[in-house]
Amino acid sequence: MNEVDFFQLKSWVEVPAHSDFPIQNLPYGIFSTDGTTARPGIAIGEHILDLQAVAKLGYFDELAIDIHVFDQEVLNPLIALGKPVWQALRKKLIELLSEGNPSLASKADQVLYKQAEATMHLPVQIGDYTDFYSSEEHASNVGVMFRGKDNALMPNWKHLPVAYHGRSSSIVVSGTDIHRPKGQVLPPGEEKPVFRSSKRMDFELEMAFITGSNTALGQSISTAEAEEHIFGMVVFNDWSARDIQRWEYVPLGPFLGKNFGSSISPWIVTLAALEPFRVKGPEQNPEVLPYLQYDGNKSFDIQLEVALQPQGAEETVICQSNFKYLYWNMAQQLAHHTVNGCNIRVGDMMASGTISGKQPDSFGSMLELSWGGKNTIHLQGGETRTFLEDYDTVIMRAHSSKFGLRIGFGEVKSQLLPAIKE
Amino acid sequence: MNEVDFFQLKSWVEVPAHSDFPIQNLPYGIFSTDGTTARPGIAIGEHILDLQAVAKLGYFDELAIDIHVFDQEVLNPLIALGKPVWQALRKKLIELLSEGNPSLASKADQVLYKQAEATMHLPVQIGDYTDFYSSEEHASNVGVMFRGKDNALMPNWKHLPVAYHGRSSSIVVSGTDIHRPKGQVLPPGEEKPVFRSSKRMDFELEMAFITGSNTALGQSISTAEAEEHIFGMVVFNDWSARDIQRWEYVPLGPFLGKNFGSSISPWIVTLAALEPFRVKGPEQNPEVLPYLQYDGNKSFDIQLEVALQPQGAEETVICQSNFKYLYWNMAQQLAHHTVNGCNIRVGDMMASGTISGKQPDSFGSMLELSWGGKNTIHLQGGETRTFLEDYDTVIMRAHSSKFGLRIGFGEVKSQLLPAIKE
């Protein structure tokens, strides 16, 4: 099928205009409905296709895969089958869902659920979580505020995709509310820290990729091979308590300012679905070392937005950014991560770092949008913010579009609750 | 039983003098023997007691626990049963192994294996791995070398137990060899990094504790409760590539300089077994915030040593230290880690950071022992080192002793292999 025909393909499942989930997308998630256990599904329009049910009806028999992978409460066993199976499954699902194919359509009532009536769960058991720091604009903005203009971008930043390890236990799915964390803070001008709840609560607009293979300790992945090891992507809100972070982060990096919670969108959009949206990345100067060099387009044009919704009010979009702004691409990130022999496992999550653009309305955190609390962020209805208030809801969305085709990620939406009382 | 009687207790299993594993210890591990699957066992003298076999013979029936926990290839399900079960199981095992009790002794051939004939495996599935930085002497030594004397100990260091997240996928059990990593290094005096194998390979002498419960996101653990959530401890070698670390670590902390591999001793010594070795910790001045204050003795007197063995040569002990030197204790570490609501899971691993003492021969890394490569470390047979050479074996050992009772950890022993060729 050529690209024009593929873009125009329709499903027998109704897909509203501007839906994130046309037949060309088919993102994977873990869902449950009343009284049933969580299981793999794919999003199509406003519905979920129950992969366990489809498998039990025998539709995947010819793929010669162990259908018990569809009985699991996480996607790891399915993902572990590897890229040839991802491709075969995508092809089969497109065939089964295509308009005019009566085979599965005649059994729709056995395999389709409304998304509005389902609960979404964390889609993978996350092994390790790594957070990169790959936006030049974000790193520069934060650097100026934390260390001054002269030390904003560290000498290593343009030579390697800086990253640090984060906490996987506290990564939760969209809809899970987060409590404002407590911790040590050094009040301005004082010499002794105090213990209190954070007063500078922030989000970070990020995306994360999920690895799709297990490698051996000692093995490295080249930039050319990297995408074979990436299953798909989600939107990632890296909640941050700036006052806690600022006091603790020297010399070993962020810790309690971050690990109280991170939120992801529930649907994993595959690299296959994003294929039409490849673009050239930013020029890298100085030239990077050979193991970080790459061929072809490894960046993706994915439009991003963050909306803030005070309790009982309308939402206001306060940031519009794009994944393509990142200086370092995913292939470079994975090549760097493994160049020392560090092994990866199916289900590892690697986040991009905050994705900021050059314009002030594209900054991906309130730290940057309010420039350290100095500027006011205006919301619909007259409310203002510098950092998050209790009961604020943060909504992040992502989608790519081209020639009428829209491939979306849905959203990650979570409310900030007050600190827990003793 | 009073302490004197308990100290003199003997097992019907022969335990050589100076064994790390008398009946008072009973550490947990995962082992396999020829052609069998990995399963839980405990070390006693030079043998392993096969807990799966003991369970199948019905000896644990009265404990009313699901005996399938003994069929697992990791200890997590057993540990998840909680402290009351850990205590009941320890009591039952001491009874079954006591000299003069013929019950299990009469079936010794069905339940005992020689350690020398068994393979040890990673004892737990590690959820998240955190590395603290809790030795004042180590933090000061490294601070002087990396940042100069005036910035050695950061302003936050005496107010909170500094820590960072590490990589769990690359934690391996004693006996797994480690390849010298490759990565970016900034040669002295140059402005551009080069790609090469590390020339400053080091170990770090640490201990790690393994958490024994699952907490909810938002829940904090107090210093008073902390030890209820700690199952036991292992010896931990945090391999480090100093040249890679130095170039990459600003501003987000160590990454590729550490995550190519960490090695642990195979036997988890329980806190119950270490009870007789509690000691007072160092005085903490300035006074810490209330959530870090604690009652009672939360430090442990555990003697540590590191031996270096060049290929084909004898080993030389190059460091003797003690776990009690640490400024921050495990209860404080866990209270700090969760004060922001960060959740923990059964099998998380939390390492101490390098354990150095005041004397130069107690420094827990070659970076400190050779003072950044300036001093020579002398080995038996005339060899010298500043950092590790290919095929060097690093052996770390730990034990507590008192009134003739020795509770030991065995050892973590791994060889450094050359970098993998392209």
Side-chain angles (χ1 to χ4, degrees):
Chain A
M1 200 182 300
N2 66 36
E3 199 176 58
V4 173
D5 289 345
F6 179 69
F7 275 38
Q8 290 176 352
L9 201 64
K10 292 206 179 322
S11 174
W12 50 264
V13 182
E14 191 195 333
V15 176
H18 307 301
S19 167
D20 278 349
F21 307 122
I23 190 171
Q24 292 83 355
N25 192 346
L26 307 183
Y28 289 82
I30 294 287
F31 78 105
S32 64
T33 48
D34 262 4
T36 62
T37 55
R39 58 199 185 276
I42 60 154
I44 176 83
E46 294 176 338
H47 286 81
I48 298 170
L49 181 70
D50 181 343
L51 293 180
Q52 187 186 50
V54 177
K56 282 192 176 153
L57 289 168
Y59 287 101
F60 300 147
D61 287 359
E62 68 194 78
L63 300 180
I65 55 178
D66 177 1
I67 69 163
H68 293 298
V69 299
F70 299 110
D71 298 334
Q72 308 296 316
E73 297 189 25
V74 286
L75 291 169
N76 302 57
L78 171 58
I79 296 172
L81 297 175
K83 192 167 179 182
V85 171
W86 312 342
Q87 290 171 323
L89 194 57
R90 178 173 169 82
K91 196 176 162 203
K92 170 57 72 179
L93 288 166
I94 289 173
E95 174 198 323
L96 290 172
L97 288 167
S98 283
E99 196 172 51
N101 184 344
S103 174
L104 187 63
S106 64
K107 292 171 182 160
D109 60 330
Q110 298 175 51
V111 297
L112 282 187
Y113 293 86
K114 286 187 181 157
Q115 286 175 27
E117 293 169 5
T119 302
M120 298 305 298
H121 303 265
L122 204 63
V124 285
Q125 181 183 340
I126 304 162
D128 282 291
Y129 155 53
T130 298
D131 196 15
F132 284 86
Y133 190 56
S134 288
S135 156
E136 182 177 359
E137 291 77 12
H138 170 70
S140 301
N141 287 338
V142 173
V144 168
M145 283 183 269
F146 273 46
R147 289 177 296 274
K149 208 161 184 174
D150 293 342
N151 298 304
L153 217 54
M154 290 292 172
N156 58 14
W157 199 91
K158 291 208 163 180
H159 294 284
L160 56 86
V162 170
Y164 67 104
H165 294 294
R167 181 90 187 167
S168 66
S169 74
S170 52
I171 298 178
V172 294
V173 76
S174 177
T176 310
D177 298 331
I178 297 288
H179 284 277
R180 183 182 291 271
K182 291 174 282 195
Q184 286 197 28
V185 171
L186 188 69
E190 303 209 10
E191 290 196 353
K192 278 195 171 180
V194 298
F195 180 77
R196 68 175 187 210
S197 48
S198 171
K199 291 183 181 173
R200 290 166 81 94
M201 271 298 295
D202 202 355
F203 59 78
E204 289 194 335
L205 169 63
E206 305 195 14
M207 298 198 72
F209 68 85
I210 288 115
T211 54
S213 64
N214 296 303
T215 60
L217 195 62
Q219 182 186 341
S220 301
I221 297 172
S222 69
T223 57
E225 299 158 336
E227 290 182 352
E228 308 291 308
H229 299 268
I230 299 176
F231 178 68
M233 297 172 68
V234 294
V235 190
F236 192 98
N237 180 356
D238 182 21
W239 299 93
S240 299
R242 300 299 178 189
D243 39 5
I244 295 172
Q245 182 185 350
R246 186 165 186 141
W247 169 236
E248 76 176 353
Y249 93 105
V250 176
L252 298 182
F255 187 56
L256 299 190
K258 300 275 192 175
N259 67 14
F260 57 88
S262 314
S263 304
I264 63 169
S265 55
W267 295 107
I268 304 177
V269 175
T270 62
L271 279 206
L274 293 167
E275 196 57 43
F277 306 101
R278 286 185 182 275
V279 290
K280 205 167 173 304
E283 196 191 342
Q284 297 187 321
N285 183 9
E287 187 181 50
V288 297
L289 283 164
Y291 81 94
L292 290 170
Q293 294 171 12
Y294 63 95
D295 292 321
N297 290 342
K298 301 279 190 203
S299 292
F300 293 88
D301 182 358
I302 306 172
Q303 297 173 53
L304 307 169
E305 68 175 33
V306 185
L308 189 58
Q309 183 178 27
Q311 194 172 28
E314 295 294 299
E315 67 168 61
T316 303
V317 172
I318 59 173
C319 160
Q320 289 186 297
S321 187
N322 196 304
F323 185 70
K324 72 182 176 187
Y325 297 158
L326 292 173
Y327 190 84
W328 299 99
N329 60 52
M330 295 185 283
Q332 291 179 309
Q333 290 169 342
L334 195 52
H336 182 64
H337 203 318
T338 59
V339 76
N340 67 342
C342 178
N343 58 328
I344 63 166
R345 293 178 293 193
V346 170
D348 289 344
M349 199 164 279
M350 304 199 178
S352 58
T354 308
I355 306 167
S356 296
K358 292 192 195 307
Q359 303 306 320
D361 62 358
S362 69
F363 293 170
S365 66
M366 295 181 82
L367 178 71
E368 295 163 87
L369 289 165
S370 74
W371 205 255
K374 288 182 195 146
N375 302 336
T376 300
I377 301 165
H378 293 275
L379 306 180
Q380 290 188 43
E383 286 207 55
T384 61
R385 292 286 184 278
T386 47
F387 290 96
L388 294 170
E389 308 264 323
D390 287 346
Y391 302 108
D392 280 355
T393 295
V394 176
I395 310 152
M396 295 179 178
R397 303 186 182 96
H399 77 276
S400 297
S401 66
K402 187 176 173 183
F403 305 139
L405 174 64
R406 179 185 171 106
I407 298 290
F409 287 75
E411 61 187 26
V412 51
K413 176 177 181 174
S414 324
Q415 192 175 35
L416 179 67
L417 298 180
I420 293 175
K421 293 257 190 320
E422 291 311 303
Chain B
M1 198 182 298
N2 66 37
E3 198 176 59
V4 173
D5 288 346
F6 178 69
F7 275 39
Q8 290 174 353
L9 200 65
K10 292 208 180 324
S11 174
W12 51 262
V13 181
E14 191 195 334
V15 176
H18 307 300
S19 168
D20 277 349
F21 308 123
I23 189 172
Q24 292 83 355
N25 192 349
L26 307 183
Y28 290 81
I30 294 287
F31 79 104
S32 64
T33 47
D34 264 2
T36 63
T37 55
R39 58 198 185 276
I42 60 154
I44 176 82
E46 294 176 338
H47 286 80
I48 298 170
L49 181 69
D50 180 344
L51 293 179
Q52 186 185 52
V54 176
K56 284 193 176 153
L57 289 168
Y59 286 102
F60 300 146
D61 288 358
E62 68 194 78
L63 300 180
I65 56 178
D66 177 0
I67 67 163
H68 293 297
V69 299
F70 300 111
D71 298 333
Q72 307 297 316
E73 296 187 27
V74 287
L75 291 168
N76 302 57
L78 171 58
I79 296 173
L81 297 175
K83 191 167 177 179
V85 171
W86 311 341
Q87 290 171 323
L89 194 57
R90 177 171 169 83
K91 196 175 161 202
K92 170 57 72 179
L93 288 166
I94 288 173
E95 175 199 321
L96 290 172
L97 288 167
S98 282
E99 196 172 52
N101 184 343
S103 174
L104 187 63
S106 64
K107 293 171 181 157
D109 59 331
Q110 297 173 52
V111 296
L112 282 187
Y113 293 85
K114 285 186 182 160
Q115 286 174 29
E117 293 168 8
T119 302
M120 298 305 298
H121 304 265
L122 205 63
V124 285
Q125 182 184 341
I126 303 162
D128 281 292
Y129 154 53
T130 297
D131 197 16
F132 283 87
Y133 190 57
S134 289
S135 157
E136 183 177 357
E137 291 77 11
H138 171 69
S140 301
N141 287 340
V142 174
V144 167
M145 282 182 269
F146 273 46
R147 289 178 296 275
K149 207 160 186 175
D150 293 342
N151 297 305
L153 216 55
M154 290 291 172
N156 58 14
W157 199 92
K158 290 208 165 180
H159 293 285
L160 56 85
V162 170
Y164 68 105
H165 294 295
R167 180 90 189 167
S168 65
S169 73
S170 52
I171 298 178
V172 294
V173 75
S174 176
T176 311
D177 298 330
I178 297 287
H179 284 277
R180 183 182 293 270
K182 290 173 282 195
Q184 285 196 28
V185 171
L186 187 70
E190 303 208 10
E191 291 196 354
K192 279 195 170 180
V194 297
F195 181 76
R196 67 175 190 209
S197 47
S198 171
K199 291 185 180 173
R200 290 165 82 94
M201 273 298 296
D202 201 355
F203 58 79
E204 288 194 336
L205 169 64
E206 305 195 15
M207 298 198 71
F209 68 85
I210 287 115
T211 55
S213 65
N214 296 303
T215 60
L217 194 62
Q219 182 185 341
S220 299
I221 297 172
S222 68
T223 57
E225 299 159 336
E227 290 182 353
E228 307 291 309
H229 299 268
I230 299 175
F231 179 68
M233 298 171 67
V234 294
V235 190
F236 193 98
N237 180 358
D238 183 19
W239 299 93
S240 300
R242 300 300 179 190
D243 39 6
I244 295 172
Q245 182 185 350
R246 186 164 188 144
W247 170 235
E248 74 174 354
Y249 92 106
V250 177
L252 299 181
F255 187 58
L256 299 191
K258 299 277 192 176
N259 67 13
F260 57 89
S262 313
S263 305
I264 64 169
S265 55
W267 295 106
I268 304 177
V269 176
T270 63
L271 279 205
L274 293 168
E275 197 57 42
F277 305 101
R278 284 185 183 276
V279 291
K280 206 169 173 301
E283 197 190 342
Q284 295 186 322
N285 185 9
E287 188 182 48
V288 296
L289 283 164
Y291 82 93
L292 290 170
Q293 293 170 14
Y294 63 94
D295 293 322
N297 291 342
K298 301 279 190 201
S299 292
F300 293 86
D301 182 358
I302 306 171
Q303 297 172 53
L304 307 169
E305 68 174 35
V306 183
L308 188 58
Q309 183 178 25
Q311 193 172 28
E314 294 294 300
E315 66 168 62
T316 304
V317 172
I318 58 172
C319 160
Q320 289 187 297
S321 188
N322 196 304
F323 185 70
K324 72 181 177 188
Y325 296 158
L326 291 173
Y327 191 84
W328 299 100
N329 60 52
M330 294 184 283
Q332 292 179 308
Q333 290 169 342
L334 195 51
H336 182 65
H337 203 317
T338 60
V339 76
N340 67 343
C342 179
N343 59 327
I344 63 167
R345 294 178 293 192
V346 169
D348 288 344
M349 200 164 278
M350 303 199 179
S352 58
T354 308
I355 307 167
S356 295
K358 292 192 196 308
Q359 303 306 320
D361 62 359
S362 68
F363 292 170
S365 66
M366 294 179 84
L367 179 71
E368 295 163 87
L369 290 165
S370 74
W371 206 254
K374 287 182 196 147
N375 301 336
T376 300
I377 301 165
H378 292 273
L379 307 180
Q380 291 188 43
E383 287 207 54
T384 61
R385 291 286 183 277
T386 49
F387 290 96
L388 294 169
E389 308 262 322
D390 287 346
Y391 302 107
D392 280 354
T393 295
V394 176
I395 310 152
M396 296 179 177
R397 303 186 182 97
H399 77 275
S400 297
S401 66
K402 187 177 173 182
F403 305 139
L405 174 65
R406 177 184 172 109
I407 299 289
F409 287 75
E411 62 187 24
V412 50
K413 176 176 180 175
S414 324
Q415 192 176 33
L416 179 66
L417 299 181
I420 293 175
K421 292 255 190 320
E422 293 309 305

